[in-house]
Amino acid sequence: MLVKDHFKQLACPLYPAADPDPVSPHAAMPAEALICADTATRVSSVLNRDVKQFGKQHMFDANEETCWNSDQGARQWVALDFPHTVKVSQLHIQFQGGFSSRLCTLEGCRTGEELVKISELYPEDVNAMQRFEVEETALDKLKITFENSTDFFGRIVVYHLRVLGERL
């Protein structure tokens, strides 16, 4: 079995792991996608309560034409409960321009503990996938709060959300 195929077998079923650096034989293990079918996901709201068209599942379906669209209101959020403890190191997010957040707060905790602030991210108001390095933190729960929407009504639109790191 090729090493590249081995990484794909270990990957989360919803997202393949990043391929290792093909140039360097000593490249570090790639960060793996941590969100999988067993990750419980909650969101603050869904536009017009239309879960079929705008629900949270669309952030993870890898379809370019679907998205999670929040309803209006301040401080929209996404909460993830991982099935096992993970060490988060990266967050990848793609907003719809005009419906992004100027400030995202990441909070996390282990099971049975209170959420604590991990990081603040400052995304751009663009359509492109944005990648953020996060201080490596072991946790079971992660909450991403969109503090400051670029939309006048406070709506957030997310096409893709990936959390990368390692499973512990």
Side-chain angles (χ1 to χ4, degrees), residues 14-16 57-66 159-162:
L14 296 179
Y15 288 110
Q57 70 276 9
H58 296 303
M59 288 185 284
F60 315 112
D61 65 6
N63 183 339
E64 296 295 322
E65 298 187 16
T66 62
Y159 279 89
H160 303 290
L161 175 66
R162 296 181 72 191

Side-chain angles (χ1 to χ4, degrees), residues 117-131:
K117 186 174 175 180
I118 298 170
S119 182
E120 287 184 343
L121 310 175
Y122 299 92
E124 295 180 43
D125 187 17
V126 296
N127 294 329
M129 179 68 78
Q130 298 180 61
R131 293 166 175 81

Side-chain angles (χ1 to χ4, degrees), residues 48-116:
N48 300 325
R49 296 185 181 165
D50 188 348
V51 175
K52 184 175 182 181
Q53 188 171 358
F54 300 116
K56 62 189 177 189
Q57 70 276 9
H58 296 303
M59 288 185 284
F60 315 112
D61 65 6
N63 183 339
E64 296 295 322
E65 298 187 16
T66 62
C67 60
W68 166 61
N69 194 331
S70 78
D71 216 333
Q72 60 186 359
R75 299 193 59 179
Q76 300 294 331
W77 51 264
V78 173
L80 304 166
D81 291 333
F82 298 99
H84 304 287
T85 303
V86 297
K87 186 185 291 184
V88 174
S89 61
Q90 297 176 40
L91 179 88
H92 297 184
I93 191 164
Q94 183 178 6
F95 293 102
Q96 178 178 327
F99 297 90
S100 63
S101 179
R102 291 183 187 99
L103 170 62
C104 298
T105 302
L106 273 54
E107 298 173 289
C109 66
R110 302 293 301 271
T111 301
E113 297 178 359
E114 295 292 319
L115 290 171
V116 295

Side-chain angles (χ1 to χ4, degrees), residues 30-34 84-90 136-139 163-168:
E32 62 183 307
L34 300 175
H84 304 287
T85 303
V86 297
K87 186 185 291 184
V88 174
S89 61
Q90 297 176 40
E136 289 191 359
T137 307
L139 49 82
V163 178
L164 290 90
E166 68 178 286
R167 290 180 177 87
L168 300 179

